[in-house]
């Protein structure tokens, strides 16, 4: 019988690596804890949605996917309405965003839905009935032609290094096996000079005892994204900060977080493979890496601004007035929509657009007339406030 305290195969793999090579970087620990095919968190858990550990914007309400479809329509038009039009969604998770985008694309008319060639990419297995192409990979498949690489809350799930300032020097945090079981952190010389180089390039010097994260993984991923399409756009949605805020004294304990059963935790070494691990994204470096890869900037705004300019308020008003909805249905749908634009939560996420050989102005968050009824939350989405009142 397995229980909460029975070690997973991911836990065993971390131990094997430490036994053979000594303490490992946090990035390697996180890679195994989240992505080890046998017992890694994303490989084995029902992570998403009502019965999972956390929810993301697509899970909050399908209007997110509907509005993302409108964003893709604007980009498709800016590229001259090509067919096929590749949409590569990296980090597709449980496929909810893909399903909602594809459902709404059909309502947008003008040949858009027929042009869309959707590829969902994720190391996870797709659900058996997923209706589009699914590539099990951590890379970005090169599809060529015109299109968009889209990623919602992908960068925050990429393995990262942890560093600290100790004795006036930058040191890296490594993961070691504790003699009495469990894992401990030990500090040592950085595993790569790229960590100090990253902080130097940002003009960041950490104060003594500061512990934080440096995520190098997006650099290679952005280079692959650039190569994946001949022309088009990259659209990133995630939560995080500019480097000056990320490495501010107010965050001297870092931004690493764990999620299990919709509960926030701070100990990544508990239940290895049974809880999600993520950190805020440091956008200054992401932007620089995207530009170094070859992209040009094509706009940036908060998620609330983006969804409002795409028309979320119109959808909300329509649901508020729609006849035939029960009180509970209406309340759950309106709450899901409000969550998406809540400035203290998801509404504060950042939306970053980049262009490759494509018009960079006037493509992000363009308002379009509402051409279809607002979609309603279904079984995949969060049943906000849907419990009967007592
Ligand atoms: C926080 S979840 C977000 C899922 C989905 N985008 C959403 O918004 O619901 C992160 C997802 O990214 C996937 N992932 C992590 N690294 C990846 C990579 N390099 N390429 C593709 N997917 C990746 C994980 O397996 C997981 O499904």
């Amino acid at each position: 019988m397995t229980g909460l305290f029975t070690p997973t195969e991911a836990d065993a793999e971390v131990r094997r690596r430490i036994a053979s090579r000594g303490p490992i970087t946090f990035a390697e620990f996180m890679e195994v804890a989240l992505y080890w095919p046998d017992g890694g968190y994303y490989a084995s858990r029902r992570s998403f949605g009502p019965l999972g550990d956390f929810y993301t914007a697509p899970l909050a309400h399908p209007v997110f996917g509907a509005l993302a479809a409108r964003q893709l329509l604007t980009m498709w038009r800016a590229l001259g309405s090509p067919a096929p039009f590749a949409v590569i969604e990296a980090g597709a998770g449980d496929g909810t965003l893909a399903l909602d985008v594809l459902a709404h694309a059909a309502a947008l008319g003008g040949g858009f839905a027929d042009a869309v060639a959707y590829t969902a990419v994720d190391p996870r297995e797709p659900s058996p009935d997923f209706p589009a192409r699914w590539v099990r990979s951590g890379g970005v498949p090169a599809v060529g032609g015109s299109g968009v690489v889209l990623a919602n809350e992908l960068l925050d799930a990429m393995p990262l290094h942890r560093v600290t300032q100790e004795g006036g020097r930058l040191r890296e945090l490594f993961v070691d096996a504790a003699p009495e079981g469990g894992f401990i952190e030990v500090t040592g010389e950085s595993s790569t000079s790229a960590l100090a180089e990253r902080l130097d390039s940002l003009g960041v010097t950490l104060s003594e005892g500061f512990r934080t994260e440096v995520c190098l993984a997006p650099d290679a991923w952005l280079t692959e994204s650039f190569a994946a399409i001949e022309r088009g756009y990259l659209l990133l949605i995630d939560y995080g900060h500019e480097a000056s805020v990320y490495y501010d004294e107010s965050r001297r304990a870092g931004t690493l977080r764990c999620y299990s059963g919709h509960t926030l935790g701070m100990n990544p070494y508990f239940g290895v493979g049974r809880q999600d691990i993520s950190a805020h994204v440091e956008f200054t470096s992401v932007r620089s890496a995207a530009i170094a890869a070859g992209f040009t900037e094509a706009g940036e705004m908060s998620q609330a601004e983006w969804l409002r300019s795409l028309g979320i308020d119109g959808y909300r008003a329509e649901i508020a007035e729609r006849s035939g909805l029960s009180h509970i249905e209406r309340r759950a749908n309106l709450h899901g929509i409000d969550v998406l634009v809540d400035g203290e939560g998801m509404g504060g996420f950042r939306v970053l657009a980049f262009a490759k050989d494509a018009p960079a102005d006037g493509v992000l968050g363009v308002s379009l007339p509402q051409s279809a009824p607002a979609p309603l939350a279904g079984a995949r989405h969060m049943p906000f406030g849907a419990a009967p009142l007592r």
Side-chain angles (χ1 to χ4, degrees), residues 78-389:
L79 289 165
S81 306
F85 173 60
V87 177
I88 307 172
E89 188 201 341
D94 72 345
T96 297
L97 178 59
L99 293 171
D100 291 340
V101 165
L102 290 169
H104 204 74
L108 291 173
F112 176 60
D114 291 337
V116 169
Y118 208 101
T119 301
V121 186
D122 201 294
R124 294 165 62 92
E125 267 188 55
S127 52
D129 52 352
F130 186 73
R133 180 175 178 233
W134 186 286
V135 177
R136 286 191 72 187
S137 167
V140 191
V143 297
S146 301
V148 175
V149 178
L150 162 69
N152 184 64
E153 287 204 47
L154 165 66
L155 302 181
D156 67 37
M158 289 192 174
L160 47 87
H161 294 261
R162 298 183 80 194
V163 295
T164 187
Q165 189 78 359
E166 197 178 69
R169 294 168 55 218
L170 186 73
R171 307 266 289 166
E172 183 164 0
L173 289 165
F174 293 83
V175 182
D176 200 358
E180 66 280 11
F183 297 101
I184 50 168
E185 286 170 350
V186 292
T187 56
E189 286 296 319
S190 295
S191 60
T192 163
S193 59
L195 302 176
E197 285 160 16
R198 166 65 54 86
L199 294 179
D200 283 350
S201 73
L202 294 167
V204 169
T205 306
L206 304 177
S207 61
E208 190 67 17
F210 202 119
R211 289 158 74 102
T212 187
E213 301 82 39
V214 178
C215 193
L216 302 172
D219 297 30
W221 183 83
L222 288 161
T223 303
E224 278 193 39
S225 297
F226 186 77
I229 47 169
E230 275 158 38
R231 38 188 316 254
Y233 297 96
L234 169 67
L235 188 63
L236 303 174
I237 307 157
D238 228 309
Y239 61 101
H241 322 277
E242 295 303 321
S244 57
V245 177
Y246 199 96
Y247 296 115
D248 180 76
E249 274 301 308
S250 59
R251 289 186 181 72
R252 55 181 286 111
T255 70
L256 196 79
R257 302 283 182 270
C258 307
Y259 296 91
S260 175
H262 293 278
T263 305
L264 178 66
M266 305 301 278
N267 181 357
Y269 308 113
F270 174 77
V272 175
R274 290 207 172 86
Q275 58 174 349
D276 186 27
I277 307 172
S278 86
H280 297 193
V281 175
E282 189 267 281
F283 287 122
T284 310
S285 298
V286 169
R287 199 179 299 106
S288 301
I291 291 166
F295 286 111
T296 50
E297 292 179 70
E300 186 173 330
M301 54 184 73
S302 72
Q303 177 169 304
E305 289 169 315
W306 182 59
L307 295 177
R308 288 224 154 87
S309 52
L310 288 166
I312 196 167
D313 293 333
Y315 282 129
R316 191 188 190 286
E318 190 236 306
I319 289 178
E321 297 295 317
R322 192 181 296 182
S323 59
L325 290 183
S326 69
H327 169 68
I328 289 175
E329 257 182 304
R330 192 183 319 280
R331 190 177 59 178
N333 278 280
L334 295 180
H335 188 133
I337 290 175
D338 291 343
V339 160
L340 292 172
V341 291
D342 174 6
E344 298 296 312
M346 285 184 180
F349 287 19
R350 302 299 298 170
V351 183
L352 281 67
F354 297 91
K356 174 178 181 178
D357 190 20
D361 292 332
V363 284
L364 186 65
V366 175
S367 158
L368 299 172
Q370 187 174 332
S371 54
L376 296 176
R380 286 176 164 272
H381 305 102
M382 294 298 289
F384 290 116
L389 293 174

